Amino acid sequence: MFVYENGVFTAVPCTKKNSYLSIRDFAEGRDGTIYVASTSGVCRVRSGLLVPYSNPYITGETAYALGIDRYGRLWCAMSTGKCAVMQDDRVLAMLDAELFFEDGSVISCLTSDRANNIYLGTDGSTLAKVVCSGQRLDGTAFTVQTYEVTDAANHNRVDVTAEGDILVSGQQGFAWVTTDGTQRDPHTGTSTDAVNCAALDTEGNVWLASSNEGLIRYSPGCFASPDLTAGLADMDINAMTAAGGRYYAAVNQGLLAFDSDWQPVSNKLTQALAGIHVQSLMTDSRGRLWCGTYSELGLVRYDTGSGEIVFFNQSNGLGSTRIRVAFELRDGIVAVGTQDGLALIRGDKVVAFYDKDNGLETQSILCIAQAPDGTLLAGSAGSGIYALAQDGTARSRNSATSRGWRTVWCCAYCRRRTAAAPLSARADTCIIGRTGLSAGWTVCASVPARSSISTSGTESCDCCRTAAFTPWIRRGS
């Protein structure tokens, strides 16, 4: 044993030469006495020397860990699976594990917190907190609270932080139990086998010492997870939202609902969607929940106040039952992206559905947003972004624009004037020639040579609204 003081390590010899060389744990008594657990028994430090306790219950036995209770008594987790309680050079009791655990667990380690409560680890997954209310040691003067810490079986060490969180180091993992008894998911993966001890630094990082992986630092940041409480560990979550005082999670097998404490609950909606692949969730401005499914149910709207459920599918105008996303526009219309096109819902009716016939070359819509001018922007699976103007016209915003190209929306090689009134009386400036185009004119006065331009995609002419053609694209800023 060594003590570090004033920058120097000094050996602390034992009164029994060549004894007590394998040290397992330390504890400090209320009077400042330092107690030491070793593979040869228990010692205390006096006058710079290790002085062993001489008692047949502990001498020659391995003491794994130590703790001090609120009456100043020393608790020792022994290799016999029992807990020795000592005071004033005497062993007051050898406590069996059955006094604390009903499942046959064996005590493997222990510690104490700042309030001098005792925490007992076991060879299984059960942890106990012991609060002493009197000096009797027969079980009548202390209360026991147990925790099931499945992430850390076969406990090697238990530590308690200054805030009261419990860090459990196990041969089969690591567990972090908060002060309210819930388990925090540390997301440490499989690299936490054979954890011998754990510590929490001032920045909130957890340090783990593992026999298999060496020293591991886990940086949890500002995130906490309800996975363990909600039963979501190892589940694939397609979408999350909150509505009507409940949390909702979309999974491939249905819809999960939880209360504010992440306890699972059931309602009319979760029952209706049991076993259904739910892909997306959206809460609108009225607090209603929209659930996009991959089933004949299509899009499902749930009123969290009245419990009313409305289905939008092929039976009432929705052209697809494979729903990818729902998005509420500023005027209350709900835009729905599906695997087969884009739909608009006003009130209880599907008022429009856009697919390949309406210019959507790629019909799978993955995401939706709305521009400041009201234009609906729909991200597709392969054709970039489609823009749906407020007048109902749709056109592609392909990836050429993001590479520094400008799309010419007038058909510059049309080479004709429209004698009759044009479909759109729009006046614009030609991107190629920078000349003004009056309504009805479709020819640019300064068409460049073909070698200076490139082609990409198809589009409807902004000037004459002719059928889809190949637009011309020129490099630009």
Side-chain angles (χ1 to χ4, degrees):
M1 174 180 166
F2 293 83
V3 59
Y4 181 76
E5 188 175 17
N6 298 325
V8 178
F9 283 98
T10 303
V12 180
C14 182
T15 55
K16 289 186 177 182
K17 191 175 182 180
N18 299 325
S19 298
Y20 295 85
L21 300 178
S22 180
I23 308 300
R24 303 296 298 265
D25 195 19
F26 301 96
E28 182 178 5
R30 291 190 300 182
D31 61 356
T33 299
I34 301 299
Y35 298 97
V36 182
S38 78
T39 55
S40 302
V42 181
C43 306
R44 68 275 205 200
V45 179
R46 287 183 176 176
S47 302
L49 297 174
L50 282 177
V51 181
Y53 282 100
S54 179
N55 188 286
Y57 291 109
I58 59 173
T59 301
E61 300 290 344
T62 297
Y64 290 133
L66 305 174
I68 305 294
D69 70 13
R70 62 181 56 190
Y71 297 101
R73 298 173 297 194
L74 178 67
W75 290 53
C76 315
M78 307 301 297
S79 58
T80 58
K82 296 186 177 184
C83 185
V85 181
M86 306 174 61
Q87 193 171 38
D88 299 329
D89 296 340
R90 295 184 300 113
V91 176
L92 302 179
M94 295 294 293
L95 304 180
D96 292 321
E98 289 79 5
L99 195 60
F100 310 99
F101 305 100
E102 298 178 353
D103 58 359
S105 297
V106 175
I107 298 171
S108 61
C109 58
L110 64 81
T111 192
S112 54
D113 61 16
R114 291 189 173 186
N116 294 115
N117 300 308
I118 302 296
Y119 297 79
L120 305 175
T122 68
D123 61 349
S125 58
T126 307
L127 172 74
K129 176 182 179 180
V130 181
V131 179
C132 297
S133 57
Q135 298 194 36
R136 295 178 63 88
L137 293 171
D138 57 3
T140 60
F142 51 73
T143 58
V144 179
Q145 180 181 1
T146 58
Y147 308 88
E148 191 67 23
V149 284
T150 54
D151 288 343
N154 194 0
H155 306 150
N156 290 324
R157 184 179 177 91
V158 178
D159 294 281
V160 182
T161 69
E163 292 73 23
D165 287 0
I166 310 169
L167 308 179
V168 185
S169 304
Q171 196 63 24
Q172 299 177 33
F174 167 73
W176 184 344
V177 184
T178 60
T179 54
D180 61 0
T182 60
Q183 292 186 53
R184 182 171 180 176
D185 187 355
H187 304 290
T188 49
T190 58
S191 62
T192 54
D193 290 338
V195 180
N196 297 317
C197 61
L200 188 67
D201 66 21
T202 56
E203 296 180 350
N205 303 307
V206 178
W207 295 79
L208 308 177
S210 168
S211 299
N212 292 344
E213 303 294 335
L215 183 64
I216 304 167
R217 186 184 74 173
Y218 158 57
S219 301
C222 60
F223 294 99
S225 173
D227 283 357
L228 294 176
T229 302
L232 297 176
D234 301 323
M235 293 189 68
D236 294 331
I237 307 299
N238 298 326
M240 286 289 306
T241 193
R246 296 283 187 263
Y247 297 114
Y248 290 92
V251 298
N252 291 346
Q253 302 80 28
L255 182 69
L256 307 178
F258 307 92
D259 62 18
S260 58
D261 295 322
W262 288 99
Q263 297 298 321
V265 296
S266 176
N267 58 29
K268 184 178 178 181
L269 180 62
T270 60
Q271 295 167 13
L273 296 180
I276 300 297
H277 180 167
V278 182
Q279 181 64 30
S280 65
L281 299 174
M282 186 271 290
T283 304
D284 66 17
S285 58
R286 296 171 58 182
R288 299 175 300 183
L289 177 61
W290 298 71
C291 308
T293 75
Y294 264 45
S295 76
E296 61 183 10
L297 298 181
L299 182 66
V300 182
R301 189 184 71 195
Y302 175 66
D303 191 312
T304 56
S306 66
E308 178 191 29
I309 297 178
V310 178
F311 299 93
F312 299 92
N313 46 49
Q314 291 178 330
S315 67
N316 54 5
L318 188 60
S320 175
T321 54
R322 296 181 294 175
I323 312 301
R324 301 300 297 263
V325 61
F327 181 87
E328 184 181 19
L329 304 179
R330 288 190 286 273
D331 60 3
I333 291 178
V334 173
V336 184
T338 77
Q339 193 67 20
D340 307 294
L342 175 69
L344 298 179
I345 297 175
R346 180 186 289 113
D348 294 336
K349 295 182 179 180
V350 179
V351 295
F353 188 80
Y354 298 84
D355 55 15
K356 194 170 185 178
D357 294 337
N358 305 103
L360 270 64
E361 192 68 24
T362 298
Q363 301 171 80
S364 179
I365 302 301
L366 306 180
C367 54
I368 299 172
Q370 189 173 25
D373 65 355
T375 300
L376 186 156
L377 303 174
S380 70
S383 292
I385 299 174
Y386 290 104
L388 181 67
Q390 289 182 312
D391 63 1
T393 58
R395 59 182 172 187
S396 173
R397 290 287 186 258
N398 57 50
S399 59
T401 57
S402 65
R403 295 195 301 267
W405 295 80
R406 287 190 175 181
T407 302
V408 181
W409 298 111
C410 61
C411 46
Y413 288 93
C414 182
R415 297 293 187 184
R416 64 188 174 123
R417 294 183 182 180
T418 304
L423 297 177
S424 173
R426 173 178 175 177
D428 207 343
T429 300
C430 177
I431 296 177
I432 290 180
R434 306 292 182 185
T435 57
L437 289 176
S438 61
W441 289 87
T442 62
V443 179
C444 175
S446 56
V447 177
R450 286 180 179 270
S451 60
S452 66
I453 55 181
S454 176
T455 60
S456 176
T458 59
E459 185 58 48
S460 294
C461 177
D462 277 355
C463 301
C464 65
R465 301 297 185 191
T466 57
F469 69 101
T470 301
W472 296 96
I473 300 175
R474 183 175 72 132
R475 287 191 181 277
S477 59

